[in-house]
Amino acid sequence: MKEFKTSQNCKVLTLKKLTILSNIMERIALITPGGDAPGINSAIGTIIHLTRNDKIELIGINDGYKGLIDVDFCEMKGITYSWLMGVSGTILHCERMHSFKEEKVLKKASKILKNKGIEGLIVIGGNGSFKGALDLFKFSRIPTVAIPATIDNDIYGTDETIGFDTACNTALEAINRIKDTAVSFERIFLVEVMGRDRGFIALEVGIASGAEAVLIPEVEPPLEEIAKGLKRARLRGNTNAIIVAAEGVSKRREIAKFFEDKTGAEVRVSVLGYIQRGGSPTRRSRMLGVEFASYAYEILKESPTRPKMVGLQSGEIVTMDLEKSIQGYKEIDIEKYKLHRKLSNIY
Ligand code: F6P
């Protein structure tokens, strides 16, 4: 009986071991469809290193989904983790491919991946990249894990995305400089930060820079109230002001003109633009890149049957269904917005 049990256990163990062995991936691919965000290369470097340790072949797909269709693949040998940590952008390049939702395009992409023997896919990017990954999976059924990276920080299911911290710090540094001119000329500056549809950068930067007002697409801007507050502040001797506006707020130039008319002050618009996407990643963006990537890689090795994404929730790195993330809407923190109102001297 004892013997039987032992041999039975052995058999079970051997079978289990064999199953795990047969599940070990030999070749996975990595893609960064876009846009770039500081810290993506830290994630890439992490995956290069971990796959190298595990002797899993890592194929890089250049130029996002367009490169996949064009079979623009590269081996990722000879690239060092330590070099990648401090470099922004993405060494795999990115390109937006709007047709990457059409059935014939997705079928072609799926066939290319299968012909290449790709057994797992890691996608690093924002909402558009995630949608592409989910659509592709419907045809390829290749295990897929997504890593949230966008300076906009607008992905549902994660408190923070790779690159957000660096972009905020870059904007803050720029605003410090603009403030020097604002003080000297006693001007009001409307500083536009990135965020095509959302106000995450604007809100964070508005609070951290001590801006007088923050304009975000999620809240109807109380323009009259702000104008009155700015005028009152000027009469009290606060003759300069910074208004941080998200790119997604429409009619920013008209708003600046409105403030000029109402306050009698000179109002200038300064668009920070793409400088926010570049620059050496901060410690936080690098660490998010490293931690997201190492977790995503572990999840991928388990061959998930549904596409997953990794994220940060209350300080913990977590995983959730990619589809859930795509369907969700990340709310702006209204309490933070209210806090800014309390801190500003114009309300
Ligand atoms: O990465 C996000 C973002 O920076 C948005 O805030 C911005 O509107 C957009 O990308 C612009 O990117 P592109 O010009 O590369 O499409």
Side-chain angles (χ1 to χ4, degrees):
M1 185 67 170
K2 198 177 171 201
E3 253 185 48
F4 171 78
K5 248 192 161 175
T6 314
S7 65
Q8 188 80 332
N9 282 347
C10 273
K11 200 175 169 193
V12 170
L13 272 179
T14 313
L15 272 177
K16 210 172 165 191
K17 206 172 165 193
L18 275 175
T19 319
I20 291 171
L21 274 178
S22 67
N23 276 347
I24 286 179
M25 294 174 175
E26 287 179 6
R27 184 178 295 148
I28 68 169
L30 178 58
I31 190 166
T32 60
D36 56 294
I40 286 184
N41 278 334
S42 315
I44 294 177
T46 304
I47 294 161
I48 290 176
H49 201 81
L50 295 176
T51 47
R52 204 175 278 162
N53 284 353
D54 286 349
K55 301 199 175 14
I56 291 179
E57 191 185 350
L58 179 66
I59 303 284
I61 302 171
N62 282 314
D63 293 339
Y65 294 127
K66 169 84 170 51
L68 170 54
I69 293 297
D70 295 344
V71 201
D72 187 355
F73 292 176
C74 61
E75 288 184 1
M76 306 200 73
K77 291 176 185 153
I79 303 166
T80 61
Y81 163 81
S82 55
W83 171 66
L84 279 176
M85 288 308 281
V87 184
S88 258
T90 160
I91 54 160
L92 288 174
H93 310 279
C94 38
E95 188 161 331
R96 302 193 200 279
M97 189 188 180
H98 300 293
S99 61
F100 202 77
K101 50 181 180 277
E102 294 166 14
E103 194 172 317
K104 64 173 191 314
V105 177
L106 296 166
K107 274 186 177 162
K108 186 175 175 190
S110 159
K111 205 169 159 193
I112 291 168
L113 287 177
K114 283 183 179 159
N115 287 345
K116 273 272 168 193
I118 304 297
E119 295 162 295
L121 180 66
I122 296 181
V123 179
I124 309 179
N127 284 312
S129 307
F130 282 17
K131 278 195 193 94
L134 187 66
D135 289 344
L136 177 60
F137 176 82
K138 286 174 189 154
F139 293 92
S140 75
R141 296 280 147 191
I142 292 172
T144 299
V145 182
I147 297 177
T150 160
I151 64 163
D152 291 350
N153 198 27
D154 58 350
I155 296 181
Y156 179 81
T158 185
D159 295 342
E160 195 172 328
T161 52
I162 296 172
F164 175 63
D165 185 62
T166 308
C168 288
N169 283 342
T170 304
L172 282 172
E173 199 189 317
I175 290 171
N176 280 346
R177 290 163 193 253
I178 290 170
K179 189 106 184 153
D180 294 338
T181 294
V183 171
S184 304
F185 270 98
E186 301 184 296
R187 280 177 181 161
I188 295 171
F189 270 85
L190 191 147
V191 182
E192 183 197 303
V193 294
M194 271 193 164
R196 188 172 14 209
D197 308 309
R198 308 300 311 273
F200 291 97
I201 299 178
L203 184 53
E204 201 79 3
V205 165
I207 294 174
S209 67
E212 275 67 20
V214 174
L215 311 180
I216 53 175
E218 293 85 352
V219 179
E220 182 68 35
L223 298 181
E224 283 288 350
E225 190 187 6
I226 294 172
K228 278 185 190 146
L230 288 169
K231 198 168 178 184
R232 273 197 312 271
R234 284 184 86 76
L235 293 172
R236 283 198 309 268
N238 299 110
T239 53
N240 68 83
I242 300 286
I243 298 162
V244 177
E247 189 188 345
V249 171
S250 54
K251 302 191 177 138
R252 292 174 302 276
R253 297 219 172 246
E254 286 93 324
I255 291 174
K257 175 82 176 56
F258 173 81
F259 288 145
E260 197 159 70
D261 294 345
K262 291 278 175 176
T263 61
E266 277 185 318
V267 181
R268 293 281 190 271
V269 176
S270 185
V271 179
L272 299 189
Y274 290 90
I275 63 160
Q276 294 159 97
R277 284 228 299 242
S280 186
T282 57
R283 173 204 60 98
R284 195 164 169 78
S285 291
R286 294 178 196 208
M287 286 306 293
L288 266 191
V290 170
E291 291 184 297
F292 279 173
S294 61
Y295 196 54
Y297 176 60
E298 288 309 317
I299 301 289
L300 188 71
K301 283 197 291 183
E302 289 169 11
S303 294
T305 51
R306 294 150 67 97
K308 297 279 173 192
M309 88 154 211
V310 295
L312 182 76
Q313 288 177 11
S314 310
E316 296 274 318
I317 309 282
V318 297
T319 180
M320 68 187 282
D321 273 357
L322 183 61
E323 189 160 15
K324 197 172 164 197
S325 168
I326 290 167
Q327 285 166 353
Y329 176 82
K330 185 169 172 179
E331 296 288 345
I332 199 99
D333 186 347
I334 285 297
E335 291 310 313
K336 253 189 195 177
Y337 182 79
K338 288 183 188 160
L339 174 64
H340 174 263
R341 283 184 62 101
K342 280 187 201 157
L343 296 173
S344 166
N345 63 8
I346 65 158
Y347 293 106

